[in-house]
Amino acid sequence: MTDHALRLLRQDPRLAALAAFPFNFDLDRAAHGHVEPVRLASGGPLEIVAGDDTGGTYFVCADGSMLYASSDGSAGIIGSTVDEALEMLIGLPGWGSCTHLSPADGEQAIRERVTEVEDELREYYGIDEERAELRAALGFPDRSPVELVARLHSALLRTEPDFLLLNDEELCGYDLLDDHPRPPLWEPVLAAGRADLSLLRSGDRAVWDALAADAVRRRLALRAAQFDRADGDLGLLRHLLRHEASSSMTDELRLAAVLVGLHGDTDDLPLLHEVRETDFDTACGLSDLPERGADASELGRWARELDDALFGTDPADEPACTWTDLAMDQGMTELARVALIRRLDGVVMDQGALRHPDDPKRLNTSSLRSLATAFERLGDLSQALRAQRLYAVLQVTAWDRVSALLTQARWEREAGQPLEAVCTLASLRATLDAPGDDSLRHWQQVNLGRFTAAEHYALARALAAANLPEQARAVLMSGDAILGELSETAAKAVRELAEETAARLRGIS
């Protein structure tokens, strides 16, 4: 980390005072912390080094980048090092009014805006002599505002995905400091697939085999072929289709079948039927495939109808989950996390977005459930629980509510929140006792009852391990009461777990 200037400020009260006024970088304000608890979505460390008179805070990140967070919920990287950020703060004392500028605006527009901002500051206090003194003392060159704006612009664009700031209690993301456009998620996610599609088109069979054997590269190449279609791709598409069948019924398998079918070659019907017969799921997923004796027009019509309904040629039309899933597949963890958090934030702020377009009185909460599952896959149980808790609250039927609460309790236990899980299971039991509809009339005979009892025993053990014996025994008793209501078949699968849990708790004083 380059922090030479920061060390000088900490060592010299005169320089520190100049940085605090008129440049609003006040080391003493670091002791007050930020206006609310915050953390990076990535989990990376943050060190507060200064604040300003508006309640904003300057943080240093693990890689040395400086992150600024305002008091009204905006944040962004303002320098790749502490020194770079300080040089910008001193060179552009009104930098907060320049975050919308970029090199594309041109030198004249940048200079005019910076001059306008600095002239406003000069009406109240001096900045020119102070800037010259501080620059000389810290060893900063006299860079032009155009160069400093370019550096600020570049830094701001690095904020996501690695430096998204969250409110530590609500877990919602801070807004960006700037409004510069970013590439759509699909561009970085699809980049490797596009490169691999070019390799496949070279015709090297060794490349075909190596790429097709890699599930992630294969699916990305198929997605690239979806948006970049060529008449000469039929051979490589057949090859990818054969290999994708080993993954059973995936979206990319259906896509591969459609891309092959669009070529209208009836010689591909035996291959398509062979793929359909891979397993039960694939047979269901491709159940409407034309029969082996179909003609080219029928095969083409089937492929076009599926293509129009499910795929198409514009990556912007793909569901967001396509790109977050493929990002996770490639290890682009933070890219996926940021996209998912932004989507969840949008739902939390406007639950009206969940309303059915054809029936505004009904909510479609499937997107919340998908978000929760995606966060669980990322290993981010905090965000998974944020989505799952809202999902549970919005469930209409008693069955759906109990199912959602059961998952919520399990994640709370796994996230080290056993007391929260105790409350969640209490709500679950209250719904079992007074469901309000008949959706739970057979819960004692099915897996829902068995899983509910099992979660009580798992939580009892977690409470005991957390040195909460009283709560553990209470949850054990509740689990035993549920076990007593289960059918003999359902209870049999849980009884051994119940006995093991009871024996463990007997050993706790």
Side-chain angles (χ1 to χ4, degrees):
M1 181 177 72
T2 304
D3 60 357
H4 173 72
L6 181 61
R7 290 198 302 273
L8 290 177
L9 293 181
R10 286 171 169 169
Q11 294 165 6
D12 190 324
R14 164 64 181 169
L15 298 181
L18 272 178
F21 183 81
F23 301 103
N24 218 359
F25 183 84
D26 192 341
L27 297 177
D28 291 339
R29 292 181 183 270
H32 302 299
H34 193 48
V35 293
E36 63 184 2
V38 292
R39 65 181 177 88
L40 289 178
S42 65
L46 287 172
E47 178 193 358
I48 297 177
V49 293
D52 65 22
D53 60 9
T54 68
T57 307
Y58 295 96
F59 299 87
V60 178
C61 305
D63 71 340
S65 297
M66 181 170 281
L67 178 79
Y68 175 79
S70 71
S71 59
D72 60 359
S74 299
I77 294 294
I78 61 171
S80 59
T81 67
V82 176
D83 280 7
E84 181 180 299
L86 280 169
E87 186 176 352
M88 185 279 298
L89 293 173
I90 296 165
L92 296 174
W95 70 271
S97 299
C98 300
T99 56
H100 67 286
L101 296 174
S102 78
D105 294 313
E107 180 175 345
Q108 181 178 347
I110 291 172
R111 288 187 180 277
E112 288 176 354
R113 178 55 181 156
V114 171
T115 298
E116 178 185 1
V117 171
E118 293 190 353
D119 284 346
E120 292 175 0
L121 296 177
R122 290 186 183 98
E123 293 180 8
Y124 301 98
Y125 48 79
I127 59 173
D128 298 303
E129 292 181 4
E130 293 82 356
R131 175 160 52 195
E133 180 181 351
L134 201 49
R135 272 176 166 167
L138 299 180
F140 292 155
D142 185 3
R143 297 189 194 277
S144 74
V146 175
E147 184 176 354
L148 292 174
V149 164
R151 286 185 168 203
L152 175 60
H153 175 259
S154 178
L156 289 168
L157 291 179
R158 292 180 52 242
T159 304
E160 292 185 355
D162 294 323
F163 303 102
L164 172 63
L165 194 67
L166 304 180
N167 174 297
D168 198 28
E169 295 175 354
E170 298 174 357
L171 299 179
C172 55
Y174 270 49
D175 294 332
L176 293 171
L177 283 176
D178 66 278
D179 57 2
H180 300 304
R182 266 74 171 175
L185 178 62
W186 60 264
E187 281 193 10
V189 171
L190 198 57
R194 287 171 158 174
D196 277 344
L197 180 60
S198 295
L199 288 175
L200 287 169
R201 285 172 173 168
S202 70
D204 187 330
R205 299 298 298 192
V207 170
W208 281 29
D209 291 340
L211 200 153
D214 185 316
V216 174
R217 293 181 69 187
R218 181 175 68 237
R219 290 169 189 164
L220 284 166
L222 282 167
R223 288 294 177 179
Q226 175 186 349
F227 307 116
D228 179 12
R229 304 181 183 190
D231 292 338
D233 285 348
L234 182 55
L236 67 87
L237 291 172
R238 290 167 174 161
H239 194 68
L240 295 175
L241 172 62
R242 289 189 182 93
H243 283 76
E244 186 60 22
S246 64
S247 296
S248 189
M249 191 63 241
T250 64
D251 289 338
E252 285 74 25
L253 178 62
R254 186 181 281 110
L255 171 62
V258 166
L259 292 176
V260 168
L262 285 172
H263 286 266
D265 188 339
T266 55
D267 288 343
D268 288 317
L269 281 169
L271 169 61
L272 291 168
H273 278 270
E274 178 186 340
V275 167
R276 187 179 71 173
E277 294 162 8
T278 301
D279 55 30
F280 177 77
D281 289 339
T282 308
C284 294
L286 297 176
S287 60
D288 55 351
L289 184 69
E291 295 302 318
R292 291 176 184 267
D295 59 23
S297 63
E298 188 175 353
L299 174 60
R301 182 170 58 252
W302 167 81
R304 285 191 299 274
E305 288 176 355
L306 268 183
D307 188 28
D308 292 342
L310 300 177
F311 301 112
T313 58
D314 188 347
D317 292 337
E318 278 294 314
C321 60
T322 296
W323 305 121
T324 51
D325 286 347
L326 288 171
M328 285 187 273
D329 287 343
Q330 296 178 79
M332 297 176 172
T333 303
E334 298 312 316
L335 196 66
R337 192 195 313 274
V338 167
L340 293 167
I341 289 173
R342 293 302 192 192
R343 284 170 55 198
L344 179 54
D345 286 351
V347 174
V348 170
M349 294 299 294
D350 180 14
Q351 294 178 25
L354 299 175
R355 296 190 183 279
H356 279 278
D358 299 330
D359 185 0
K361 294 181 180 180
R362 288 195 305 127
L363 296 180
N364 180 359
T365 58
S366 60
S367 61
L368 272 175
R369 180 59 185 151
S370 297
L371 283 168
T373 302
F375 280 122
E376 183 195 25
R377 181 183 169 193
L378 275 178
D380 193 337
L381 286 181
S382 296
Q383 292 289 351
L385 280 166
R386 185 161 76 109
Q388 186 67 18
R389 285 166 180 153
L390 180 56
Y391 174 77
V393 166
L394 296 177
Q395 295 314 296
V396 175
T397 70
W399 178 282
D400 290 340
R401 193 157 54 251
V402 166
S403 298
L405 289 170
L406 183 59
T407 299
Q408 179 180 321
R410 174 171 63 84
W411 286 349
E412 287 168 338
R413 171 176 57 81
E414 293 174 352
Q417 303 174 17
L419 294 179
E420 288 85 345
V422 169
C423 295
T424 300
L425 288 184
S427 297
L428 184 156
R429 294 193 301 274
T431 304
L432 291 177
D433 293 339
D437 58 41
D438 63 354
S439 61
L440 288 171
R441 61 186 180 275
H442 300 306
W443 72 267
Q444 301 92 336
Q445 286 82 43
V446 295
N447 281 336
L448 182 63
R450 176 167 68 91
F451 293 153
T452 298
E455 184 54 38
H456 277 75
Y457 295 127
L459 179 57
R461 295 167 78 148
L463 289 162
N467 197 27
L468 296 168
E470 182 178 344
Q471 292 89 338
R473 292 190 182 94
V475 171
L476 175 63
M477 290 179 60
S478 297
D480 287 342
I482 291 172
L483 181 62
E485 295 191 54
L486 299 183
S487 67
E488 180 56 32
T489 301
K492 183 179 180 181
V494 187
R495 196 164 284 123
E496 183 177 349
L497 177 60
E499 294 170 354
E500 290 176 356
T501 304
R504 177 172 296 189
L505 293 188
R506 281 195 295 271
I508 300 175
S509 61

